[in-house]
């Protein structure tokens, strides 16, 4: 199985492509790569000073707040804390640059495991020495990838990833994946690279649908209705239709493609507006006559500019059902708004104005109140104090630039 890896360089607090061109909107670029089929994103920290290293880590932390799937980050490390900083951004794996301290590599493997520690190598000899230290994953970012792949082919427990420029030789000598410099305009079309590899006879990670078009029950126009839902919050975004060609293109490209009944032609959602829909899953109902697409929606789904086409009530019985995550996210967003747009008389702004020490003091006080309430027979007392505690924790999170997504990702990694 050949992996397709998108490579991003971090330099002077900015994101660059390997060809040296700056990425204008790094967050959009990385999300598009991840959502359109990249098996991994490789972040290369090119810093040669502590200040630049700090700036690059800040960029990486901000980027990782988006859904990037699996990503690897690394560069020059002189202390185990450097290793932690990369992994704490949410990286599934970190790598050492060539010339790293062997003892530090061994310490990293001991603390975080072989599967989370890798090395960038420039020669076959470097790869062999790293293997002796316990490294099993190698990234080769120069044109000697073929030598590295050949040298490590004898070791079945290794993974070698090389530049796509040397595609034929490195894959023929056992490389597990290719590292691409994907132009910004192609970030949402990573599946095209996979389709080309598939065409050339290589096995890649693409969707293999359980149902073919012939398995569906179509409407009188020969079309299949599609209900489109946001994969994160389950919001229904729109309803559209597919013909067979649209269905096949959706599966092949990973971007929602429909059949426009008014124009009598295919319609790639977002092709003109940039508001693409990247497929997370496709489901068919019990009668096999309606498709449910769960997607990553870029921007608005509706042509009116609204997030969802279903933005107007006809009948409503009041508030929607309350879910814990939505409430926490809503309160956090309000706190962030107060931080960015101060409001006179706001208690939240009072806390921000007093600084971190005041916020920490309140978090500690509210934690103590929970302990005291837990001694009381009425559980509602605990609920009340937990509400106070969580509010102040969210103020702390906003002060330190931490989101609920960061916390959720950390908990998910512990499962």
């Amino acid at each position: 199985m050949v992996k397709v890896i998108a490579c991003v360089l971090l330099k002077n607090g900015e994101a660059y492509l390997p060809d040296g061109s700056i990425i204008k909107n790094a967050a959009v670029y990385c999300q598009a790569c991840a959502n359109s089929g990249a098996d991994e994103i490789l972040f290369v920290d090119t810093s040669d000073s502590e200040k630049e290293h700090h700036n690059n880590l800040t960029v990486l932390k901000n980027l990782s707040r988006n859904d990037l799937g699996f990503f690897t980050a690394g560069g020059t490390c002189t202390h185990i804390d450097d290793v932690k900083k990369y992994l704490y951004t949410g990286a599934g794996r970190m790598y050492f640059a060539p010339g790293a301290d062997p003892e530090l590599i061994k310490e990293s493997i001991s603390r975080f495991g072989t599967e989370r520690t890798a090395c960038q190598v420039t020669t076959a000899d470097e790869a062999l020495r790293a293997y002796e230290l316990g490294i099993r994953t190698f990234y080769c970012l120069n044109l000697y990838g073929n030598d590295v792949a050949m040298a490590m082919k004898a070791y079945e427990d290794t993974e070698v990833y090389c530049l796509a420029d040397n595609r034929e030789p490195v894959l023929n000598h056992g490389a597990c994946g290719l590292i691409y410099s994907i132009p910004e305009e192609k970030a949402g079309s990573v599946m095209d690279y996979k389709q080309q590899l598939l065409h050339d006879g290589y096995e890649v990670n693409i969707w293999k649908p359980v149902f073919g078009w012939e398995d569906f029950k179509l409407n009188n126009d020969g079309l299949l209705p599609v209900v489109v839902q946001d994969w994160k919050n389950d919001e229904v975004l729109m309803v559209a239709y597919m013909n067979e060609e649209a269905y096949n293109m959706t599966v092949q490209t990973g971007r929602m493609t429909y059949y426009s009944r008014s124009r009598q032609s295919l319609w790639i959602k977002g092709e003109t507006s940039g508001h693409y829909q990247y497929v997370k899953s496709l489901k068919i109902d019990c009668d096999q006559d309606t498709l449910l697409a769960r997607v990553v929606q870029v921007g608005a789904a509706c042509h009116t500019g609204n997030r969802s086409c279903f933005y107007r009530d006809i009948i409503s019985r009041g508030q929607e059902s309350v879910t814990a995550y939505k409430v926490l996210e809503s309160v956090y967003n309000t706190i962030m708004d107060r931080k960015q747009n101060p409001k006179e008389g706001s208690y939240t702004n009072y806390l921000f104005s007093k600084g971190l020490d005041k916020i920490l003091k309140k978090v500690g006080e509210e934690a103590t109140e929970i302990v005291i309430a837990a001694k009381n027979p009425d559980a509602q007392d605990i609920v009340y104090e937990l509400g106070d505690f969580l509010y102040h924790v969210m103020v702390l999170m906003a002060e330190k630039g931490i989101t609920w997504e960061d916390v959720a990702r950390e908990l998910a990694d512990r499962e």
Side-chain angles (χ1 to χ4, degrees), residues 313-359:
D313 287 335
I314 297 177
I315 297 175
S316 176
R317 288 186 177 272
Q319 292 184 337
E320 296 182 3
S321 60
V322 175
T323 62
Y325 181 75
K326 284 183 179 180
V327 171
L328 291 173
E329 188 176 41
S330 175
V331 174
Y332 178 83
N333 289 339
T334 300
I335 291 170
M336 282 299 296
D337 182 67
R338 290 288 185 272
K339 183 173 173 51
Q340 295 162 4
N341 305 290
K343 184 177 180 180
E344 187 176 352
S346 164
Y347 174 67
T348 302
N349 285 130
Y350 163 75
L351 291 175
F352 284 133
S353 68
K354 291 298 182 181
L356 181 61
D357 287 344
K358 178 65 174 181
I359 295 170

Side-chain angles (χ1 to χ4, degrees), residues 18 107 152 171 180 198 229 232 278 322 341 365 383 391:
E107 183 181 2
M152 306 314 297
L171 291 181
Y180 285 85
L198 187 67
Q229 185 180 38
K232 274 192 174 181
Y278 296 105
V322 175
N341 305 290
E365 290 174 355
V383 173
Y391 161 77

Side-chain angles (χ1 to χ4, degrees), residues 179-196:
I179 303 169
Y180 285 85
S181 176
I182 299 173
E184 198 160 4
E185 66 272 12
K186 292 281 289 181
S189 305
V190 175
M191 202 66 78
D192 291 350
Y193 295 89
K194 291 189 171 183
Q195 290 295 333
Q196 184 60 55

Side-chain angles (χ1 to χ4, degrees), residues 49-252:
S49 70
E50 187 61 33
K51 181 179 179 181
E52 185 180 357
H53 177 58
H54 173 77
N55 291 339
N56 289 345
L57 277 172
T58 300
V59 172
L60 182 57
K61 287 176 184 176
N62 290 333
L63 291 175
S64 69
R65 288 172 183 162
N66 304 295
D67 179 31
L68 302 184
F70 186 90
F71 69 91
T72 298
T76 302
C77 296
T78 59
H79 192 273
I80 195 66
D81 286 343
D82 295 322
V83 176
K84 291 179 184 177
K85 288 175 183 177
Y86 286 124
L87 293 176
Y88 289 174
T89 64
R93 183 161 51 217
M94 66 76 56
Y95 75 85
F96 289 94
D101 179 4
E103 293 304 315
L104 181 56
I105 292 176
K106 288 192 286 187
E107 183 181 2
S108 177
I109 292 173
S110 174
R111 294 187 63 170
F112 300 106
T114 302
E115 67 281 357
R116 301 198 72 187
T117 309
C119 270
Q120 178 192 343
V121 295
T122 57
T123 67
D125 287 341
E126 285 180 355
L128 290 168
R129 287 195 295 270
Y131 183 86
E132 292 175 356
L133 296 172
I135 294 294
R136 297 296 180 265
T137 304
F138 306 88
Y139 297 92
C140 189
L141 301 178
N142 61 16
L143 296 180
Y144 293 100
N146 190 39
D147 295 340
V148 175
M150 289 178 64
M152 306 314 297
K153 189 175 182 180
Y155 303 92
E156 295 183 356
D157 58 344
T158 61
E159 295 180 354
V160 178
Y161 301 105
C162 304
L163 294 179
D165 300 22
N166 278 348
R167 189 182 76 169
E168 297 296 333
V170 297
L171 291 181
N172 292 340
H173 286 105
C176 297
L178 299 174
I179 303 169
Y180 285 85
S181 176
I182 299 173
E184 198 160 4
E185 66 272 12
K186 292 281 289 181
S189 305
V190 175
M191 202 66 78
D192 291 350
Y193 295 89
K194 291 189 171 183
Q195 290 295 333
Q196 184 60 55
L197 286 167
L198 187 67
H199 179 268
D200 293 341
Y202 297 103
E203 186 179 359
V204 291
N205 181 25
I206 59 173
W207 285 310
K208 298 176 182 178
V210 176
F211 291 90
W213 184 255
E214 66 279 0
D215 298 313
F216 301 137
K217 296 177 183 177
L218 310 179
N219 65 14
N220 293 334
D221 296 324
L223 302 175
L224 183 69
V226 185
V227 178
V228 186
Q229 185 180 38
D230 188 297
W231 80 283
K232 274 192 174 181
N233 60 22
D234 296 335
E235 181 182 18
V236 176
L237 299 174
M238 57 180 282
V239 175
Y241 295 84
M242 285 183 179
N243 63 3
E244 183 174 5
E245 187 178 3
Y247 174 73
N248 290 334
M249 280 189 64
T250 296
V251 171
Q252 290 172 10

